Amino acid sequence: MKQAITELSSDHLLVAYEEAAKQGEQAQLVQLLNRIKTGERLTAVFGPEGGISPAEMQFLEQSQATVAGLGPRILRTETAPLYFLAAVSTMLELQ
């Protein structure tokens, strides 16, 4: 993961972190999507089953990632990106 993040050319980095959701975080995704301008690139990181390790989270936070929950539910690794894309589409394309 470190190599992929350091080699990416992205304007915004977001990590969907289930622990943030468990702690009640609800605003970071919306705030980030409101800051994105046309033509900017967004990279989203989703953890594997079992979650993102503390060392990976530390690296992502040092990489200026926005740590966001995806609501009050825990999503499967396979479905979290689809949920995220639906939220991005709603916020950035349907307004």
Side-chain angles (χ1 to χ4, degrees):
M1 177 188 58
K2 287 183 181 181
Q3 182 178 358
I5 297 299
T6 55
E7 291 181 7
L8 282 172
S9 177
S10 184
D11 300 298
H12 303 277
L13 176 62
L14 175 129
V15 57
Y17 190 46
E18 69 182 59
E19 293 302 319
K22 287 179 185 177
Q23 295 170 7
E25 190 290 305
Q26 299 178 2
Q28 292 301 311
L29 176 59
V30 172
Q31 290 174 6
L32 174 62
L33 294 177
N34 282 328
R35 288 194 308 265
I36 293 177
K37 294 174 179 54
T38 301
E40 290 184 331
R41 294 167 296 204
L42 169 63
T43 298
V45 176
F46 301 90
E49 186 175 335
I52 297 172
S53 74
E56 290 170 323
M57 278 306 300
Q58 183 179 12
F59 172 76
L60 289 163
E61 289 171 340
Q62 290 171 350
S63 299
Q64 310 304 308
T66 297
V67 179
L70 296 180
R73 64 208 58 77
I74 302 300
L75 301 167
R76 295 179 54 89
T77 299
E78 300 86 7
T79 56
L82 299 173
Y83 180 92
F84 171 77
L85 287 172
V88 170
S89 176
T90 299
M91 293 288 298
L92 299 181
E93 298 173 350
L94 299 177
Q95 292 189 16

